[in-house]
Amino acid sequence: MSRYYSYINSAVEILNGYKGEEPFASYLKKFFSIHKKYGSTDRKQVAHLCYCYFRLGKAFLNHTKEEKLLISIFLCSIESTKVLATVKPEWNEKISLSLDEKIKFLQINQNELSIFPWVDHLSETIDTTLFNQSFLVQPNLFLRIRPGSEKIVTNKLQHAGYKEVAGSQEPVTFNKKWMQFINDHCIALPNATKIEEIIELDKEAVVQDYNSQLIAGFLENLQPQTTNRKLSVWDCCAGSGGKSILANDVLGDINLTVSDSRNTILINLKKRFQSAGILHYKSFVKDLTFNNVRLRSTDPRLSTAGFDLIICDVPCSGSGTWGRTPEQLYFFEESTIDRYTSFQKKIISNILPSLNPGGYFLYCTCSVFKKENEAVVSFIKENFQLRLLKMEVLKGYDKKADTMFAALFIASAS
């Protein structure tokens, strides 16, 4: 019995020491490397308790950490847990209740369940209640199967023991090996799936959130404004390169340029592109928030002819992905929204002079804040000769996926 009380005490010790200055996964790894007494099962149990705690975000701040931990386990779990069975057996008996029923059972005031308190900043089409409650559920892992690899990936997953469940079904929680086909190219899997041990990542399929995959719909109908040459594409905040690989798969043979503010990112990107079969591209390091100048004329690595498509997946709050990193929800400060918005406007102002007449500009965030989304779209419309073609909040809170935002513009032809 004492083991499960010990798990709670260990979780509280870790939570007291963590200040949000690095990813929680990194902090945990360091903690367990120093404290050798924790076995594999112990580490998983304690880590799970901590992540459940962060999933409650800004709720129950007037409770002790021990109290909040127990509430979080109860609200986040749908199966019996040994911790609750030991410490709160009367709660464990109610574990299969719906979330609303659990809230009533605990006599929780709705004001106390303010997991995400910044609802006034949300993009207007977001359902605040569903979004708030989505943090209690861990998102799925999503695969985007690359063109021509559909049978290969499916066969490998089946061979590894993954059973297909219907799209309308909720996967059985005790079955750790399930797969859901969202469409012909998108598969949902349990979040803990070690997919790198099953398929050739980036060659056969890429790990890419469901809504990130929907960016393909913004690219599919692009019409090149010139003939007899490849589409010139600049992924200006390339990051891990997911949007570049997607553009390559959707648009076919393109002249690709990628850039990022960090050289280490581009080094990792080179390895990923090699796996993906993208061997011919240009890359350079540049912090696009600095020097409001025409990059086309100041950097020889940029095409002097400009670009037919600029993909701008800007640095942002990441608030649409906090279901995967709930510690960021817990430590978030509202004042940082304006800081990100300022960065986004500077980047846009610096890169748009490199867009060809008649070219396309794709603005993306993984944010739910309207200041980073619709307000930036208004800034673009007011300050540049671009026409908005399509804009959408890609909602993931009801799909165990991330929430994203995308807007596609076209530049004046002259």
Side-chain angles (χ1 to χ4, degrees), residues 202 239-240 263-274 281:
D202 298 325
S240 63
N263 188 50
T264 53
I265 292 291
L266 295 180
I267 293 173
N268 293 332
L269 192 61
K270 181 178 180 180
K271 297 176 183 177
R272 191 177 186 196
F273 277 4
Q274 286 176 338
Y281 65 96

Side-chain angles (χ1 to χ4, degrees), residues 2 86 88 119 128 130 198 215 236 246 282 313 325 391 403:
S2 61
T86 302
K88 286 283 188 180
V119 292
T128 57
L130 291 179
I198 301 172
I215 297 299
C236 68
L246 181 65
K282 297 177 181 178
D313 189 357
T325 53
M391 177 178 75
T403 293

Side-chain angles (χ1 to χ4, degrees), residues 142-150 152-154 156-157 185-187 189 195-196 198-208 213 245 249 272 275-276:
F142 291 92
L143 280 186
R144 181 176 67 82
I145 305 176
R146 300 195 66 202
S149 297
E150 292 83 1
I152 295 173
V153 172
T154 302
K156 286 186 174 183
L157 284 168
H185 305 288
C186 180
I187 303 178
L189 295 161
I195 192 63
E196 69 280 1
I198 301 172
I199 67 168
E200 292 188 65
L201 275 181
D202 298 325
K203 178 181 179 180
E204 298 169 343
V206 297
V207 173
Q208 189 168 38
Q213 296 185 36
I245 299 175
D249 289 348
R272 191 177 186 196
S275 299

Side-chain angles (χ1 to χ4, degrees), residues 257-292:
T257 299
V258 295
S259 65
D260 199 274
S261 62
R262 301 151 294 178
N263 188 50
T264 53
I265 292 291
L266 295 180
I267 293 173
N268 293 332
L269 192 61
K270 181 178 180 180
K271 297 176 183 177
R272 191 177 186 196
F273 277 4
Q274 286 176 338
S275 299
I278 301 175
L279 305 178
H280 304 291
Y281 65 96
K282 297 177 181 178
S283 68
F284 64 95
V285 178
K286 197 171 190 72
D287 186 338
L288 297 171
T289 63
F290 291 141
N291 300 325
N292 187 17

Side-chain angles (χ1 to χ4, degrees), residues 1 63 81 83 86 100 151 162 170 183 188 197 215-216 244-245 250 271 287 295 300 305 324 350 367 394 412:
M1 179 182 293
H63 288 60
T81 74
V83 171
T86 302
D100 287 340
K151 288 185 178 180
Y162 284 79
E170 181 71 16
N183 56 47
E197 298 177 0
I215 297 299
S244 289
I245 299 175
V250 173
K271 297 176 183 177
D287 186 338
L295 294 172
R324 300 185 188 278
N350 285 334
S367 173
L394 302 167
S412 172

Side-chain angles (χ1 to χ4, degrees), residues 107-144:
Q107 298 181 327
I108 295 173
N109 185 304
Q110 283 294 339
N111 293 330
E112 283 190 295
L113 200 60
S114 182
I115 296 172
F116 184 97
W118 311 284
V119 292
D120 291 342
H121 289 288
L122 286 174
S123 289
E124 293 177 1
T125 60
I126 291 176
D127 185 307
T128 57
T129 300
L130 291 179
F131 180 69
N132 193 60
Q133 294 179 357
S134 71
F135 289 104
L136 300 175
V137 180
Q138 187 178 47
N140 289 329
L141 175 74
F142 291 92
L143 280 186
R144 181 176 67 82

Side-chain angles (χ1 to χ4, degrees), residues 346-359:
K346 287 178 182 178
I347 291 170
I348 290 166
S349 299
N350 285 334
I351 65 177
L352 280 180
S354 295
L355 184 64
N356 281 336

